[in-house]
């Protein structure tokens, strides 16, 4: 009984498996490690992005001037929110540097800022979604690859059983267990990848929505400045 039990541990099941099944198990193990690397990387990055976004939004809502906050962020910030602020303020300063703005010039400025912010949001959305394809592939394909390994292993197991001419449980169980082990590995790779893919897809959507909301706030702030600028120009006339 001790010998039979030892045959059921994962190492023994792998060592006794067919060469094709071994290759499938190794491939699934590599896919699982790859997906876990993506999961850990995404968890760290999303935590950092959201933490920095919260701090920056708190600074913007503190009542300080946007120019002061932009200066504090530096000329080339890594986070997209301060980059969006720099884009809006840079376009605003360039437009105001040419003198008072007419209504048409103000509309053109708003359209230019809108396009620039949309372009940045699109790039950032692609960046935060990078790697999710790996999780999707692992989640959807691993169970089927593991099932193929199981079917292949069972076919070979029945062949060995037929050659031995012995169909009692002690003969059948280890051979079937070797085959089913491939499906178990496939599920072990697929389940975390599936859960993480759905979670990070939702997180990516929320972060993109956060960028879009901040872009709307920036455009509203510029529009208020334009209203004051156009009003001042009309009074001068």
């Amino acid at each position: 009984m001790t010998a039979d039990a030892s045959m059921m541990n994962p190492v023994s099941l792998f060592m006794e498996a067919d060469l094709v099944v071994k290759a499938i198990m190794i491939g699934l193990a590599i896919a699982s490690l790859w997906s876990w690397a993506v999961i850990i990387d995404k968890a760290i990055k999303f935590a950092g992005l959201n933490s920095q976004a919260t701090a920056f939004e708190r600074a913007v809502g503190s009542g300080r001037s946007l120019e002061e906050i932009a200066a504090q962020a530096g000329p080339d910030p890594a986070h997209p929110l301060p980059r969006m602020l720099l884009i809006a303020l840079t376009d605003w300063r360039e437009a105001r540097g040419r003198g008072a703005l007419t209504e048409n010039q103000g509309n053109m400025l708003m359209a230019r800022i809108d396009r620039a912010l949309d372009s940045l949001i699109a790039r950032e959305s692609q960046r935060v979604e990078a790697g999710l394809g790996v999780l999707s592939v692992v989640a959807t394909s691993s169970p089927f690859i593991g099932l193929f390994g199981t079917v292949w292993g069972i076919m070979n197991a029945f062949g060995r059983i037929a050659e031995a001419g012995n169909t009692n449980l002690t003969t059948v169980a280890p051979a079937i267990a070797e085959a089913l082990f491939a499906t178990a590995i496939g599920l072990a790779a697929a389940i975390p990848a599936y859960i993480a893919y759905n979670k990070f897809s939702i997180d990516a959507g929320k972060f993109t929505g956060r960028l879009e909301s901040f872009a709307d706030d920036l455009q509203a702030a510029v529009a208020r400045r334009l209203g004051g600028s156009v009003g001042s120009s009309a009074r001068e006339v």
Side-chain angles (χ1 to χ4, degrees):
M1 185 172 181
T2 304
D4 292 340
S6 66
M7 288 294 294
M8 302 299 287
N9 72 69
V11 176
S12 297
L13 291 174
F14 173 79
M15 297 305 297
E16 296 297 325
D18 177 78
L19 184 61
V20 173
V21 180
K22 282 182 179 178
I24 290 173
M25 290 179 181
I26 292 172
L28 289 172
I30 293 173
S32 180
L33 291 174
W34 190 8
S35 68
W36 273 108
V38 173
I39 290 170
I40 294 171
D41 177 68
K42 285 297 176 187
I44 294 172
K45 284 184 177 178
F46 273 118
L49 285 172
N50 286 313
S51 175
Q52 293 173 43
T54 299
F56 187 76
E57 289 171 344
R58 190 178 295 117
V60 171
S62 65
R64 296 158 55 196
S65 69
L66 296 181
E67 284 78 5
E68 180 184 351
I69 296 171
Q72 184 178 359
D76 188 23
H79 197 277
L81 289 188
R83 289 213 308 273
M84 293 168 70
L85 177 59
L86 285 176
I87 288 173
L89 289 180
T90 299
D91 284 349
W92 164 256
R93 283 194 296 265
E94 288 179 354
R96 286 292 292 159
R98 302 187 188 100
L101 299 176
T102 65
E103 183 176 351
N104 185 52
Q105 289 172 329
N107 291 335
M108 292 177 61
L109 171 63
M110 292 298 299
R112 186 166 63 249
I113 292 175
D114 181 61
R115 288 194 299 270
L117 294 181
D118 284 346
S119 177
L120 187 148
I121 290 172
R123 290 194 302 272
E124 287 301 317
S125 297
Q126 293 177 349
R127 191 172 70 86
V128 297
E129 291 174 1
L132 295 184
V134 172
L135 298 180
S136 177
V137 170
V138 173
T140 55
S141 63
S142 292
F144 296 102
I145 296 173
L147 182 60
F148 172 74
T150 293
V151 172
W152 185 277
I154 288 176
M155 290 170 57
N156 289 331
F158 280 137
R160 294 202 303 269
I161 291 169
E163 290 177 3
N166 188 351
T167 58
N168 62 53
L169 186 60
T170 57
T171 302
V172 174
I176 300 299
E178 294 166 11
L180 292 175
F181 189 47
T183 294
I185 296 177
L187 291 174
I191 292 173
Y194 177 79
I195 294 172
Y197 173 77
N198 284 280
K199 180 190 183 304
F200 292 139
S201 294
I202 293 172
D203 289 346
K206 288 181 177 179
F207 188 72
T208 299
R210 197 170 191 175
L211 296 182
E212 291 172 348
S213 296
F214 188 73
D216 291 340
D217 292 341
L218 276 179
Q219 289 173 309
V222 174
R224 286 193 296 271
R225 292 187 176 192
L226 279 173
S229 174
V230 173
S232 298
S233 177
R235 286 193 298 272
E236 290 172 2
V237 173

